[in-house]
Amino acid sequence: MRYLSVALQYGIYLLEAGLLAYLTVRRRFGGLVCLILYLSLLLAFDGVSRPYILYRYGYSSREYAYFYWLTDVLLTLGAFLLVCAFFRRACKYEQKMWHSIRLVLVFVLILTLAISLLALGRNYDQIRTVFIVEFQQNLYFTCLVLNTLLYILLQQIKSTDDELALLVCGLGIQFAGPAANLALARLTTGQGFASSLYGYVSPLCTLGMLLTWFYALVRAPQPSAILAGKEPAQELVAVATRDV
């Protein structure tokens, strides 16, 4: 099982670096800036910073635990901003709708922060433990709900942005598995099975998200796009063949 875990980790690193390299070389920055920033955070934290802190201080150290949860909060905030960017792209031609959704997104973030602060009560000395964990988990579930609502919105407005739909589906894979595992951990009061399962569910979902994004961003042109680029004679041949 250890070899599987290592293979998953390095596969994720390669996909993150490959996607970043592809987007940079192709200069695909329009509408994908937040996605590039999120991929950069994933690679910087998962591929560089966390392994370094783990090597320097050890898995059971307080330094690694604090760094892991702090970077997890930053990654979840990055995911929230990415969902907001996807909402903005979905409402590209619906400015009034976007203004309303933007206010809702700000309200949801403030509400999530307030609910997490309530977990502290009067124990302000636990801000580095209880609050960080609570805020990360609450925001994670919030991102899952918002991403699901975004997918429903895309179906309702009959969006023709297939790339955005696939990007949203990929992010949904990233959220769904770990969120279900966290719910299982709470139901089983944090028993070892749920914790050990999380070590495989989370990287598998990240791998699924990256593969979906890779397909969405690098996939071959659709038949309609290929047909549009043909010469007139070739186009007539293609239409005649299709009719036959």
Side-chain angles (χ1 to χ4, degrees):
M1 298 297 286
R2 181 179 179 181
Y3 293 109
L4 174 62
S5 178
V6 172
L8 283 173
Q9 286 181 353
Y10 283 97
I12 288 170
Y13 300 158
L14 287 173
L15 277 174
E16 290 168 354
L19 276 173
L20 280 173
Y22 172 80
L23 293 172
T24 302
V25 170
R26 293 298 183 92
R27 299 182 181 275
R28 299 227 20 218
F29 305 125
L32 297 173
V33 174
C34 284
L35 186 142
I36 292 173
L37 291 176
Y38 181 67
L39 282 172
S40 301
L41 283 178
L42 277 176
L43 187 59
F45 291 154
D46 278 342
V48 180
S49 302
R50 284 178 177 175
Y52 172 76
I53 298 297
L54 178 62
Y55 173 79
R56 184 177 177 85
Y57 296 102
Y59 182 78
S60 302
S61 65
R62 181 182 301 178
E63 289 83 0
Y64 178 72
Y66 284 158
F67 186 80
Y68 179 88
W69 283 108
L70 180 60
T71 52
D72 229 30
V73 169
L74 293 176
L75 285 174
T76 309
L77 281 171
F80 178 82
L81 292 176
L82 183 58
V83 173
C84 294
F86 285 166
F87 266 109
R88 176 70 182 90
R89 179 167 166 177
C91 301
K92 183 177 181 180
Y93 303 107
E94 300 287 344
Q95 291 301 316
K96 290 184 178 180
M97 180 185 295
W98 165 240
H99 290 318
S100 301
I101 291 177
R102 182 174 59 185
L103 293 175
V104 172
L105 292 172
V106 173
F107 172 77
V108 167
L109 180 60
I110 294 174
L111 181 62
T112 303
L113 179 61
I115 292 174
S116 303
L117 284 171
L118 289 176
L120 283 175
R122 297 182 180 275
N123 301 318
Y124 297 106
D125 57 321
Q126 296 180 336
I127 190 169
R128 291 183 299 179
T129 54
V130 174
F131 171 71
I132 290 177
V133 175
E134 282 291 324
F135 180 63
Q136 188 274 336
Q137 293 184 356
N138 291 338
L139 186 59
Y140 203 91
F141 281 102
T142 300
C143 289
L144 172 62
V145 173
L146 289 175
N147 194 72
T148 304
L149 292 175
L150 173 56
Y151 182 79
I152 295 173
L153 174 65
L154 290 175
Q155 306 308 309
Q156 292 296 317
I157 64 176
K158 298 180 180 179
S159 173
T160 57
D161 193 343
D162 293 337
E163 182 181 270
L164 176 60
L166 285 171
L167 293 176
V168 172
C169 288
L171 199 56
I173 295 173
Q174 168 74 345
F175 289 141
N181 194 250
L182 287 172
L184 177 63
R186 291 202 173 189
L187 288 174
T188 57
T189 63
Q191 293 183 4
F193 172 73
S195 300
S196 60
L197 187 63
Y198 184 82
Y200 293 97
V201 170
S202 182
L204 279 172
C205 290
T206 301
L207 186 64
M209 175 191 71
L210 292 172
L211 287 172
T212 304
W213 284 0
F214 191 90
Y215 174 75
L217 297 169
V218 190
R219 62 179 175 166
Q222 296 298 314
S224 58
I226 297 174
L227 187 60
K230 291 180 178 290
E231 296 295 328
Q234 292 177 313
E235 186 174 342
L236 288 174
V237 172
V239 172
T241 304
R242 183 191 61 192
D243 292 338
V244 171

